[in-house]
Amino acid sequence: MPLLRSFAGLALAAAAAAALALHPRAAAAQAAATFLAAIGDVRVFDAAGRTRAGERGGALTAGERVAVGAGGLAQLRFSDGGLVSLRANSELRIDAYAYRGERDSSASSVLQLVRGGLRAITGAIARLNRSGYTVVTTNATIGVRGTDFEAFHIPPPAPGGEAVPGEPGTYLKVNQGIAFLQTQGGILDVQPQQVGFAPQVAAAPTLLPQMPQFLRGLPSPPPPPQPPPQQQQRSEQPTPTPGALTAPTQDPRTLQSPTTSPTLTSPRLDPTPTTTSPTLSPGLTSPATTSPILSPSSTSPTRTAPTTSPTMTAPVTSPGMTAPTSPGMTAPR
């Protein structure tokens, strides 16, 4: 029975290995970071020393190292949402990385800047476990209490090697939040728009009076990925609030001002006293000399007040007209 169980265990292990081989995405799900961009000479070195070219979408795991050559650029997105831009002639190694989700209070990330410069925007790990996120060099440790910082490390020059851009040591520039620079000689908090420097010797870090020239023009953090065109178009349309009344965008009439005033205006009255309203004189014929402003063509299509004064007055008899006489009666002489 124990022998059968061992054979069964080997069979299950072989099946799991075959499944990972057939489904590389399952193995890549444990990756620490992926390449958003790899421009120029970008190479990846694994823990066994094997080398492969860095390419967009490629995965990185703990223990691997990224080297960017002259004129190159690499941009990485970590699984916790953190972003790193690695400039030319730089090298970064993922010493340790552990992240299991938004509730992982023990998450950690340790990046080693071997040489060159980077710009980083921290993700969930620095928020969940601030002390668990560090960037180390050969002479200093960088910790974060913020989100956006730049680091540059200049190792001691090799005999007969290329000239270095500045004094060997570790430089820290903060763009947002607060970060600290720690050595064996002490610890220094670096505020936004300040630059801290830790020399290669065992000394306390200090603030520089001005920014070194080689720190200018470090790569900007990579932009967030854009949604597909259809999804982006749907996200740009405003979401109606339940119960709120909004004007439809398809009916242009709702966007135009009305051609007539919504209020009632007083009509223009003819000063001639002989003009009377035909509706207020029953039994009398309308006089021949009426004002043209009472014609239907001159009135507004909207509702208007009656053409006479709001108060009712006795009808005025038009000149030249005589009162009617009763039948069979003669006027006195």
Side-chain angles (χ1 to χ4, degrees):
M1 292 295 292
L3 184 61
L4 292 177
R5 290 179 180 177
S6 62
F7 277 116
L10 291 175
L12 289 176
L20 289 176
L22 292 176
H23 301 282
R25 291 184 179 179
Q30 303 299 323
T34 56
F35 280 98
L36 289 180
I39 302 174
D41 183 14
V42 179
R43 299 183 183 182
V44 179
F45 300 86
D46 62 13
R50 294 182 294 255
T51 305
R52 68 180 185 272
E55 57 184 3
R56 182 177 181 180
L60 292 171
T61 58
E64 292 188 320
R65 177 168 50 96
V66 180
V68 182
L73 174 68
Q75 295 181 342
L76 310 176
R77 176 183 291 275
F78 286 79
S79 62
D80 72 329
L83 303 172
V84 170
S85 288
L86 195 61
R87 67 178 298 172
N89 298 319
S90 300
E91 192 172 337
L92 178 71
R93 184 170 63 197
I94 305 176
D95 283 353
Y97 188 87
Y99 177 68
R100 293 175 297 179
E102 285 289 339
R103 297 183 179 180
D104 186 7
S105 59
S106 62
S108 62
S109 173
V110 180
L111 307 178
Q112 181 176 357
L113 182 58
V114 180
R115 61 185 175 93
L118 62 80
R119 180 172 180 178
I121 295 180
T122 59
I125 292 179
R127 184 177 67 254
L128 297 171
N129 183 21
R130 189 171 293 176
S131 61
Y133 183 94
T134 56
V135 177
V136 299
T137 64
T138 56
N139 70 309
T141 298
I142 298 173
V144 298
R145 300 188 183 101
T147 57
D148 187 348
F149 68 94
E150 302 173 23
F152 200 97
H153 179 65
I154 302 176
E162 297 180 358
V164 294
E167 181 180 353
T170 300
Y171 299 80
L172 172 63
K173 176 180 178 290
V174 176
N175 298 317
Q176 184 177 357
I178 302 175
F180 66 86
L181 189 61
Q182 185 175 10
T183 65
Q184 295 179 356
I187 186 171
L188 173 70
D189 284 343
V190 182
Q191 305 287 338
Q193 307 308 317
Q194 290 182 343
V195 178
F197 171 66
Q200 195 67 32
V201 297
T206 58
L207 290 177
L208 298 180
Q210 59 183 1
M211 186 185 303
Q213 185 64 32
F214 58 83
L215 271 180
R216 304 179 186 276
L218 282 176
S220 301
Q226 297 294 330
Q230 296 180 356
Q231 181 179 357
Q232 183 177 9
Q233 184 177 3
R234 286 195 295 266
S235 62
E236 291 177 355
Q237 296 179 355
T239 303
T241 305
L245 297 179
T246 56
T249 57
Q250 300 297 329
D251 191 357
R253 293 175 296 177
T254 59
L255 304 179
Q256 297 178 356
S257 301
T259 56
T260 59
S261 175
T263 59
L264 296 176
T265 57
S266 300
R268 183 168 57 93
L269 300 177
D270 193 341
T272 306
T274 57
T275 303
T276 59
S277 173
T279 59
L280 300 179
S281 302
L284 296 180
T285 59
S286 176
T289 58
T290 59
S291 175
I293 63 170
L294 299 179
S295 60
S297 60
S298 62
T299 58
S300 173
T302 59
R303 294 180 300 173
T304 59
T307 57
T308 60
S309 176
T311 59
M312 298 182 61
T313 58
V316 181
T317 305
S318 301
M321 298 183 66
T322 59
T325 57
S326 300
M329 297 182 65
T330 57
R333 294 183 180 177

